[in-house]
Amino acid sequence: MRITVIGAYGYTGLLICAELVKAGINFSISGPNKEKLDTLKNSSKLIEKVIVMDVTNATDCQHLIDQNDIIVNCAGPFTENSNVLLEIVSNSNCAYLDISGEAEFIFDSFEKNHKNA
């Protein structure tokens, strides 16, 4: 099982990473800031790799989805950042979870992607 946490060095991303480490689960981390990702990677041998990416870039998103079974997205604001990622993941076999509480984003993503997902 290949898992990546997007936004891994943010508050909730760090909490999710800590729980994965506590459970002994290998995973990768992703975000736009390589230095922050490298610092986090050095905190645990369970973090397999660092993926520097932009969640608004379709090529980056497709590459990430192609390499994973599960994506955990903690990179908000979701309304601004995650539409491209959701469109691509809805056309894949990759499982997707996010921490969004943005009602408009949730409604819009359902309307746009539920048929493919």
Side-chain angles (χ1 to χ4, degrees):
M1 176 172 48
R2 299 166 300 165
I3 302 169
T4 294
V5 178
I6 301 172
Y9 51 77
Y11 178 77
T12 306
L14 287 171
L15 293 173
I16 291 170
C17 290
E19 288 300 316
L20 290 168
V21 168
K22 185 176 170 183
I25 298 171
N26 292 322
F27 63 101
S28 297
I29 54 175
S30 178
N33 188 312
K34 183 172 177 14
E35 291 171 358
K36 289 182 180 181
L37 292 168
D38 286 340
T39 299
L40 181 56
K41 184 178 186 315
N42 292 332
S43 71
S44 175
K45 293 181 185 202
L46 293 172
I47 301 173
E48 297 178 322
K49 63 182 171 177
V50 163
I51 303 162
V52 178
M53 68 166 290
D54 174 0
V55 295
T56 65
N57 179 288
T59 302
D60 286 357
C61 292
Q62 187 66 58
H63 182 70
L64 182 73
I65 290 163
D66 290 345
Q67 294 183 19
N68 285 279
D69 301 305
I70 300 171
I71 301 292
V72 180
N73 186 5
C74 302
F78 293 87
T79 303
E80 295 172 20
N81 294 333
S82 295
N83 291 316
V84 172
L85 176 64
L86 267 178
E87 182 179 343
I88 294 169
V89 81
S90 71
N91 289 300
S92 75
N93 291 322
C94 187
Y96 172 87
L97 300 114
D98 67 43
I99 62 163
S100 177
E102 299 172 30
E104 183 177 336
F105 169 75
I106 295 167
F107 177 78
D108 287 347
S109 63
F110 176 79
E111 289 295 312
K112 291 176 186 173
N113 301 304
H114 79 281
K115 289 179 184 177
N116 291 334

